[in-house]
Amino acid sequence: FFTARPRQTTDRRDFYDLAVGNVPFGQYKVNDKAYNKLGFSIHNYFFAKAIDQVRPGGIVAFVTSRYTMDSKDSTARKHMAERADLLGAIRLPNNAFRANAGTDVVSDIIFLQKRDRPIDHEPDWVQLGKTEDGFAINQYFADHPEMVLGVLSTDLLHRAVGAHGGKGLGQLFVQPAGVVQRKGYADAGNQQRL
């Protein structure tokens, strides 16, 4: 929803086919009159605004902090789930951005598709669940552990930590496009079609 000029935004609703980006992470808010009432942190603000600006059937694909999916407060996820279907999500290991951004942070890639009209029931992914090992994590990842690249650990506040010997993400994806080979799990030969 950004135009060609930096820092210039648009308020076009139901217009774009696709919104793709790496949203800023943080606990601060954006001053936007149309969204201030939601009280969302910056990363959740971008989801709310992008969902409003893509057309029904449009896709939002964002890299975001794990707190979009794992926050104890489900308000932002409820807002998103009312307006869009979760197509899927991928949890990246904490070292995914080490080489290019110099940071160790657990991130998710979230794919949403805007609905024609809001719904009034709550999908499972709005709530937190637990892994077999008792880690509190978004119910989507509890139900789909194959979508977590790395090994879940209680290290550093239940972060998903990389367990790939410092290998980059490119080395995690060793199959042709559309098929992911996961390394680092007991069932490493298992393939997941995307």
Side-chain angles (χ1 to χ4, degrees):
F1 52 90
F2 288 101
T3 60
R5 289 190 216 148
R7 299 183 188 217
Q8 182 180 7
T9 64
T10 178
D11 290 324
R12 290 184 166 180
R13 293 178 71 87
D14 301 319
F15 180 79
Y16 298 99
D17 293 326
L18 176 67
V20 177
N22 182 350
V23 299
F25 309 165
Q27 292 295 48
Y28 52 94
K29 296 171 179 36
V30 174
N31 184 15
D32 184 331
K33 290 180 194 175
Y35 295 89
N36 285 345
K37 65 183 179 285
L38 297 175
F40 291 163
S41 60
I42 189 168
H43 46 278
N44 293 330
Y45 159 82
F46 273 89
F47 275 96
K49 187 160 186 170
I51 290 169
D52 284 347
Q53 292 191 348
V54 297
R55 65 172 175 74
I59 305 293
V60 175
F62 283 163
V63 176
T64 185
S65 158
R66 76 168 184 95
Y67 293 105
T68 296
M69 293 292 274
D70 285 354
S71 173
K72 290 178 185 176
D73 180 357
S74 63
T75 306
R77 290 190 302 276
K78 286 179 185 176
H79 181 85
M80 289 185 267
E82 288 172 358
R83 294 157 178 77
D85 288 315
L86 177 68
L87 298 177
I90 302 168
R91 168 113 340 141
L92 302 175
N94 68 331
N95 62 357
F97 295 105
R98 183 179 293 160
N100 68 344
T103 186
D104 284 358
V105 59
V106 178
S107 302
D108 295 333
I109 306 171
I110 300 174
F111 301 89
L112 301 169
Q113 185 170 32
K114 185 172 180 172
R115 289 197 187 84
D116 295 0
R117 63 186 79 73
I119 61 166
D120 61 0
H121 74 274
E122 187 175 285
D124 291 343
W125 69 272
V126 170
Q127 297 303 321
L128 298 183
K130 292 205 181 267
T131 65
E132 291 177 6
D133 297 326
F135 296 120
I137 191 169
N138 185 278
Q139 188 63 51
Y140 175 82
F141 292 120
D143 292 342
H144 299 282
E146 73 277 7
M147 301 308 288
V148 177
L149 300 179
V151 176
L152 294 175
S153 168
T154 57
D155 188 35
L156 299 174
L157 300 175
H158 304 285
R159 293 187 349 171
V161 296
H164 303 287
K167 295 179 183 176
L169 282 180
Q171 294 173 338
L172 294 172
F173 296 97
V174 296
Q175 293 296 319
V179 176
V180 176
Q181 173 86 30
R182 295 181 303 116
K183 294 182 179 181
Y185 283 80
D187 61 343
N190 211 7
Q191 294 179 355
Q192 175 70 35
R193 219 168 253 288
L194 296 177

